[in-house]
Amino acid sequence: MIITKTTGLARFYYATRYSIKGLRAAYRSEPAFRYELWAAALLLPLAFWLAQSGLQLGLLISSLLFVLIMELINTAIEAVVDRAGTEFHALAGLAKDLGSAAVLLALFVTALIWGGIAWDNFS
């Protein structure tokens, strides 16, 4: 059996559909993703007010997206680990903890960026 992959615009179309499907699944099944998405939605208008340059605006918005990206990766890691089995294994716990740590560090990076830009613009 030969499997052919789509190419060109069809590939882009299907890839986009799968991505939207993943975003919907994360929103429905992951409370942390929902909280972070709503926080990003609330902070987005503030980014336009706080930024005094295009670079600052890009950093502010990128930091919000970075948290969401890390949460999606963490969710993917958790899904794969849970699919592999329900029994406890130290490596499974480590994988989940590392994914969670990545999200925490992304939140720290976001706080540093927002704090640094606020400091520069208001001090």
Side-chain angles (χ1 to χ4, degrees), residues 7-85:
T7 59
L9 288 177
R11 184 173 196 273
F12 177 76
Y13 170 77
Y14 287 111
T16 302
R17 281 187 54 193
Y18 297 142
S19 297
I20 292 169
K21 183 179 176 183
L23 288 169
R24 284 185 182 146
Y27 187 83
R28 286 187 196 123
S29 67
E30 291 298 319
F33 183 78
R34 281 194 300 275
Y35 302 148
E36 291 157 354
L37 183 63
W38 281 106
L42 292 172
L43 288 171
L44 187 60
L46 184 60
F48 284 92
W49 175 80
L50 180 61
Q52 293 183 354
S53 70
L55 179 61
Q56 287 184 354
L57 182 61
L59 285 169
L60 293 170
I61 293 172
S62 294
S63 69
L64 298 175
L65 293 173
F66 182 54
V67 170
L68 296 174
I69 291 165
M70 290 282 72
E71 188 61 52
L72 289 170
I73 292 170
N74 182 43
T75 300
I77 291 168
E78 290 178 354
V80 169
V81 168
D82 290 347
R83 171 65 175 96

